[in-house]
Amino acid sequence: MKKLLIIGGIIVVFFVAIIALTTASNKSKLADNPYGTDDLEPSTIDLIGNENYDSIVLPDAVSKKIESGEPTTVYFFHPECHYCLEMTPVLMPIAKEDGVKVNQYNMAEFKNQAKEQYGIESYPTLVQYENGKEVGRLVGSQPADNIHAFFNEFYSK
């Protein structure tokens, strides 16, 4: 019986240690997060610091860019979406290679605004805006060739 209590105690201590380490890790990530709040989904916290998610923009910034009329590329993604997790590591290096600034819009944090304002029903969705209007859209995970073609259509003029 004593052995069982000791083993149970060790297991409890182990889980408490895991929770404490996770909490400490999340606090350090949240210190420099681009969202301006600490009230984030756990899946969003996991992406902070990942180089493929270093172009996060807030809804107001996206609206201002689009309304300015300048060419704006917005990538609507969800950090729990399998297809987004598949596409982002393909998309972001291509954008860098092609010299395209991709504004990453996190649907886990701002889903309602994106649905109402931009008609985003599924993700990943890559949208091009020019002169304040949508001029191109790719929906779903895309192969590298499609991403290159999308960027070439709007940035090789």
Side-chain angles (χ1 to χ4, degrees):
M1 185 67 161
K2 284 185 181 182
K3 286 182 182 180
L4 190 58
L5 288 175
I6 291 171
I7 291 172
I10 291 171
I11 291 172
V12 168
V13 168
F14 180 70
F15 280 110
V16 168
I18 289 174
I19 291 169
L21 290 173
T22 301
T23 301
S25 172
N26 285 348
K27 281 185 182 179
S28 69
K29 285 181 177 180
L30 289 172
D32 297 330
N33 86 70
Y35 295 94
T37 181
D38 291 346
D39 185 25
L40 298 172
E41 295 291 326
S43 57
T44 294
I45 294 170
D46 290 343
L47 296 180
I48 295 173
N50 182 322
E51 66 181 15
N52 285 320
Y53 296 91
D54 63 358
S55 297
I56 299 295
V57 290
L58 300 178
D60 289 343
V62 169
S63 293
K64 286 178 185 173
K65 285 182 182 189
I66 293 170
E67 289 169 7
S68 76
E70 67 182 276
T72 305
T73 305
V74 184
Y75 175 56
F76 297 91
F77 75 96
H78 194 291
E80 295 174 14
C81 164
H82 167 75
Y83 300 107
C84 300
L85 294 173
E86 183 180 282
M87 183 166 160
T88 304
V90 175
L91 169 69
M92 296 313 290
I94 291 172
K96 188 177 237 179
E97 175 185 320
D98 289 355
V100 176
K101 166 71 171 132
V102 174
N103 299 278
Q104 296 174 310
Y105 192 108
N106 186 335
M107 297 294 286
E109 303 300 330
F110 309 111
K111 185 176 190 173
N112 292 336
Q113 290 114 312
K115 274 186 156 186
E116 292 169 13
Q117 199 164 3
Y118 306 111
I120 304 301
E121 295 293 330
S122 60
Y123 25 81
T125 299
L126 186 65
V127 183
Q128 181 68 33
Y129 298 92
E130 292 181 9
N131 299 316
K133 298 183 189 232
E134 180 179 326
V135 294
R137 181 180 287 223
L138 281 178
V139 178
S141 184
Q142 300 289 323
D145 290 344
N146 290 4
I147 297 168
H148 277 295
F150 184 84
F151 290 154
N152 286 337
E153 180 178 348
F154 301 107
Y155 290 98
S156 293
K157 294 178 180 177

